[in-house]
Amino acid sequence: MATAFVSRAPANARLAISRPTDPPEGAIVAAPLGQVTVLSLPAPGEVGTFELRLLGESDGKPVILLRQPLLTTPPSATLAAPARVARGNPLPVRGIGPNGDRDRVVLVKPDAPPEGQGPNFFPAENVESTLEAPAEPGTYELRYVMDAPLTGPRVLARREVVVE
């Protein structure tokens, strides 16, 4: 998440993240400021140079009022959990990563796609949780899945968990 502190913004202003060469209407993500002075936006999942922009309007079209460089770095995550758990039992888990509002820690079969479903929690709400182990024994994969603009769901960390 990229957080900005804004003061004295004009009415109807929006905060946006864009590529430096994008036109004012080409924001990757944007949100209205309203009456808030602090706003967080999900940062792009790609490594690169972007801009944090304060947008206003002129003749019904967006205009850039202020801009600030935003450099994104490679995302990383870590997972902690027991290597083995009995079927249907609680599995204490910790997932630390970018903590975007759509990131999740999930327990799935190893061949599941990044958007695969299973017991999960959102680390932006709490980095620790207890998941219920599946009823079917076998080898599973605990994953930290980042879901960011430009990349969509992407597995940043994985850990094998055997359900007995």
Side-chain angles (χ1 to χ4, degrees):
M1 300 296 285
T3 301
F5 298 87
V6 181
S7 61
R8 298 188 313 257
N12 300 322
R14 293 183 303 141
L15 188 64
I17 297 176
S18 303
R19 290 180 178 89
T21 56
D22 286 347
E25 65 276 3
I28 297 166
V29 293
L33 279 169
Q35 299 299 315
V36 301
T37 57
V38 178
L39 187 66
S40 294
L41 294 174
E46 292 181 359
V47 174
T49 302
F50 299 90
E51 282 185 342
L52 193 58
R53 293 177 175 177
L54 180 64
L55 300 175
E57 278 191 17
S58 177
D59 297 325
K61 294 184 177 185
V63 293
I64 301 170
L65 302 174
L66 294 171
R67 56 177 86 208
Q68 179 176 336
L70 174 68
L71 178 65
T72 57
T73 57
S76 64
T78 61
L79 294 166
R84 297 177 130 18
V85 63
R87 308 182 278 189
N89 278 4
L91 177 68
V93 175
R94 178 183 299 143
I96 299 174
N99 293 349
D101 60 350
R102 297 183 312 207
D103 291 3
R104 65 194 174 100
V105 174
V106 61
L107 185 63
V108 295
K109 288 286 194 177
D111 60 348
E115 59 276 356
Q117 298 296 310
N120 68 84
F121 71 94
F122 298 95
E125 296 170 4
N126 192 349
V127 297
E128 294 182 345
S129 187
T130 301
L131 303 179
E132 185 177 326
E136 182 182 329
T139 300
Y140 289 81
E141 195 170 76
L142 184 65
R143 296 177 177 175
Y144 187 106
V145 180
M146 178 184 76
D147 190 354
L150 298 181
T151 62
R154 189 169 101 195
V155 179
L156 295 184
R158 39 183 105 228
R159 176 180 174 84
E160 184 178 282
V161 175
V162 176
V163 176
E164 302 172 321

